[in-house]
Amino acid sequence: MATASAHKSLTKCTNTFLLFPLSKKQHSIYTLHLHQRPLCNGCYLSMNGCRKGQSRGPVGTIETQTLEPVATTSMALYSLKMTISKMKSEPPYRSSSGIVRLQVPIEEEEVEAIDWLHSQNHLLLPRCFFSGREHNSFDSNGRSLVSVAGVGSAVSFCQPHPFSYWDWISIRRFLSESCPLIRAYGAIRFNAKAKVSSEWLPFGSFYFMIPQVEFNELEGGSMLTTTIAWDNTISWSWEDAINALQETLSKVSASIVRFPKQAPPTLILSSHDIPSKIYWDIAVNRALEMIKKNNSLLTKVVLARSTRVVPTTNIDPLTWLRAKMHTSFSFSRQMHLHLSEIQKWLHITSEALAGTRARGASMALDRQIELDLLTSPKDDIEFTIVRDTIRRKLEGVCENVMIKPKKMIRKLPRIQHLFAQLAGRLRSEEDEFKILSSLHPSPAVCGFPTEEAQLLIAKTEVFDRGMYAGPVGWFGGGESEFAVGIRSALVEKDHGALIYAGTGIVEGSNPYLEWDELELKTSQFTKLLKLDLPLRQKVDCK
């Protein structure tokens, strides 16, 4: 349970990991995780499902109950509170472990999940937001799931050690194909063996959560849900779980505070790049020298930059996300690799993206830029490495791997990429963990060969990538979906935001052009919230 010291530390620091998407027209993934310290030392008002001593088998009870539909969100909250109160006085389950989801359909009031989450800004609890690329998940009435907003964690999964098979088992034991909307949302570090910087400490080596309270935005409706999880083997009883849930429900707002249509412009006080332009040029030239060596196996390495942006006021990460959802502008695609639909027929799809160009101001110029990207030897090398590496790794655990299309242009509102889609059939359900472990890190965020590229990154980069460029997504009982966290930022209260971007270095790369690509990618964050730049100050950092 929470202690007074936990409350104190929670009010001191709020760290938010943002993964930004394609445009909404492209069935974007939006991922947002908000966490407060401490996490790995015991998530606030929940249990850590990765503790030692727990059972390895499925929990004793896994169930979803649908309550009577109501008209509004406030009525749904009241219905859940009454049901939980009755369950507390008359415990319906005798099993020593379990997870139960209660959901109330809302039939009349129209609310977006992001607005509901914005209305819970007063809560000192972990929060998450997810919106899928494709609306292929459905409720019991066949309505597709658009977005999920969650507060609190019924059960969290967090450890400082690298994500392992047994950590995956710890998550899977709370999931079931019969309850497909019970999901664990989270992310994994790019390099679990690297030294962790202070800003990334709250997240551990990996962090996943099954929310206590969720708002599910559906096509043609919505649901308010709660999830109760308990396991006596790790000292979290039914009584602990239901008391914690009641504590959270007592603080959840029933009133919906909608976002203003436009965020006010904000001045940037300073912007610090690590590395600076001078050190970037040195790093890229060193990488090119290594690639050109006769005895070197290295053909590609992805070097990244961290930019600390400090505005005049604190950045509200939800406002940032909301601005992205309601703008015609788009960030470059954050998923150079996409893993989804691991279902009972064990189908898997993945995407390879590489090479970046801006869109043209006219159709003729746009077509010219497209042809330049399609015929660029440098970009073809980078793209082929990504596509063929994913293919080889899929073939290690899949049957009948297909690539279609093998190479084409994927156009986004502001940027275009080289693109290929791969699909296959996993040989067994346990290959879910194998494929996630195998595909990370992909050549799109690391390089090729992986070990040589990782070694060069470790020697070159002087900042902690954290969960930037790591797998971000969710595990479910019937399917799982992950993306590579390329277009991402870490927002810290009173410290602005760390914006991350990287570029692939292959033979023929130009350090000046690669720096321009970093500037293009990073500027999408500032432009999105209309951050004005006159006060921008560049500080050289190694």
Side-chain angles (χ1 to χ4, degrees), residues 253-450:
S253 174
S255 302
I256 304 300
V257 180
R258 301 184 189 275
F259 275 95
K261 292 184 178 180
Q262 287 188 337
T266 304
L267 290 174
I268 293 179
L269 292 175
S270 63
S271 177
H272 301 179
D273 294 326
I274 303 178
S276 66
K277 177 66 167 63
I278 294 174
Y279 285 103
W280 171 263
D281 291 349
I282 294 172
V284 172
N285 286 326
R286 284 176 178 170
L288 289 171
E289 288 175 5
M290 185 165 293
I291 290 171
K292 293 175 183 177
K293 283 184 178 179
N294 292 332
N295 60 347
S296 174
L297 297 175
L298 188 68
T299 57
K300 175 186 177 180
V301 63
V302 178
L303 298 181
R305 186 183 77 181
S306 167
T307 301
R308 168 78 71 178
V309 175
V310 181
T312 52
T313 59
N314 276 324
I315 296 172
D316 178 2
L318 289 181
T319 301
W320 221 343
L321 184 60
R322 176 69 170 189
K324 175 64 194 79
M325 295 172 66
H326 291 271
T327 181
S328 59
F329 295 94
S330 174
F331 292 109
S332 170
R333 184 176 178 87
Q334 85 281 7
M335 294 165 296
H336 285 241
L337 176 147
H338 175 67
L339 173 65
S340 67
E341 296 184 9
I342 303 173
Q343 300 176 337
K344 62 183 179 181
W345 53 86
L346 304 179
H347 182 65
I348 181 172
T349 61
S350 183
E351 294 176 357
L353 282 91
T356 303
R357 292 289 191 280
R359 295 295 303 273
S362 65
M363 289 184 63
L365 181 57
D366 195 58
R367 177 61 177 166
Q368 181 180 340
I369 295 172
E370 174 186 337
L371 290 174
D372 175 69
L373 179 56
L374 280 170
T375 58
S376 165
K378 179 263 181 186
D379 290 291
D380 184 68
I381 292 172
E382 184 178 352
F383 173 72
T384 301
I385 289 172
V386 173
R387 182 194 61 199
D388 291 355
T389 301
I390 294 174
R391 174 185 55 79
R392 285 193 297 270
K393 291 185 176 182
L394 288 179
E395 287 174 344
V397 292
C398 292
E399 299 173 348
N400 304 321
V401 176
M402 304 289 291
I403 306 177
K404 187 178 181 181
K406 291 187 176 181
K407 180 180 176 180
M408 66 172 290
I409 294 291
R410 168 67 65 84
K411 289 183 180 288
L412 307 179
R414 292 178 62 88
I415 287 177
Q416 47 192 320
H417 299 285
L418 295 174
F419 163 81
Q421 187 169 66
L422 301 90
R425 188 182 302 273
L426 292 174
R427 296 189 182 99
S428 72
E429 186 175 351
E430 291 201 354
D431 284 337
E432 179 187 57
F433 173 76
K434 291 180 183 178
I435 196 62
L436 182 60
S437 301
S438 173
L439 289 175
H440 174 71
S442 87
V445 293
C446 180
F448 184 82
T450 301

Side-chain angles (χ1 to χ4, degrees), residues 120-311:
Q120 315 307 324
N121 266 349
H122 61 287
L123 295 178
L124 295 176
L125 291 169
R127 293 176 283 171
C128 69
F129 179 84
F130 177 87
S131 181
R133 297 179 66 243
E134 298 178 359
H135 303 154
N136 53 9
S137 298
F138 303 91
D139 70 348
S140 56
N141 294 321
R143 297 176 298 180
S144 62
L145 185 62
V146 176
S147 300
V148 174
V151 298
S153 56
V155 52
S156 62
F157 307 90
C158 178
Q159 287 292 339
H161 62 243
F163 187 67
S164 69
Y165 172 80
W166 293 113
D167 296 317
W168 176 72
I169 290 293
S170 297
I171 296 174
R172 297 297 310 179
R173 62 190 294 263
F174 285 91
L175 307 176
S176 170
E177 202 173 319
S178 63
C179 301
L181 294 184
I182 296 179
R183 296 172 171 178
Y185 300 91
I188 301 171
R189 279 179 62 85
F190 170 76
N191 185 353
K193 297 179 181 179
K195 183 179 179 181
V196 182
S197 59
S198 59
E199 66 267 15
W200 286 106
L201 276 174
F203 297 87
S205 179
F206 61 90
Y207 183 82
F208 289 88
M209 61 180 282
I210 298 177
Q212 274 183 316
V213 184
E214 283 183 34
F215 186 91
N216 293 173
E217 181 183 342
L218 307 165
E219 286 190 346
S222 58
M223 287 192 300
L224 189 66
T225 80
T226 61
T227 299
I228 313 165
W230 71 98
D231 188 348
N232 293 345
T233 64
I234 49 178
S235 304
W236 189 258
S237 66
W238 163 265
E239 291 77 15
D240 293 326
I242 205 160
N243 287 336
L245 178 56
Q246 283 189 314
E247 176 73 14
T248 298
L249 285 174
S250 69
K251 297 174 181 177
V252 169
S253 174
S255 302
I256 304 300
V257 180
R258 301 184 189 275
F259 275 95
K261 292 184 178 180
Q262 287 188 337
T266 304
L267 290 174
I268 293 179
L269 292 175
S270 63
S271 177
H272 301 179
D273 294 326
I274 303 178
S276 66
K277 177 66 167 63
I278 294 174
Y279 285 103
W280 171 263
D281 291 349
I282 294 172
V284 172
N285 286 326
R286 284 176 178 170
L288 289 171
E289 288 175 5
M290 185 165 293
I291 290 171
K292 293 175 183 177
K293 283 184 178 179
N294 292 332
N295 60 347
S296 174
L297 297 175
L298 188 68
T299 57
K300 175 186 177 180
V301 63
V302 178
L303 298 181
R305 186 183 77 181
S306 167
T307 301
R308 168 78 71 178
V309 175
V310 181

Side-chain angles (χ1 to χ4, degrees), residues 456-516:
L456 183 55
I457 289 171
K459 289 180 178 180
T460 304
E461 294 181 0
V462 294
F463 65 91
D464 180 13
R465 289 193 180 192
M467 290 176 174
Y468 157 67
V472 182
W474 51 269
F475 291 107
E479 57 182 330
S480 300
E481 185 171 320
F482 281 87
V484 180
I486 291 181
R487 195 67 65 247
S488 54
L490 182 69
V491 179
E492 297 181 275
K493 186 177 180 181
D494 300 325
H495 296 285
L498 285 167
I499 302 172
Y500 301 91
T503 62
I505 309 302
V506 298
E507 187 173 357
S509 291
N510 182 307
Y512 302 101
L513 296 179
E514 302 299 339
W515 181 267
D516 288 343

Side-chain angles (χ1 to χ4, degrees), residues 72-104:
T72 65
T73 305
S74 59
M75 293 174 66
L77 182 60
Y78 177 80
S79 175
L80 289 171
K81 286 180 177 179
M82 292 301 100
T83 302
I84 293 299
S85 180
K86 183 177 180 181
M87 293 174 74
K88 182 177 181 179
S89 61
E90 302 173 12
Y93 307 106
R94 297 182 179 276
S95 57
S96 61
S97 63
I99 186 165
V100 176
R101 173 184 165 102
L102 305 176
Q103 54 191 35
V104 181

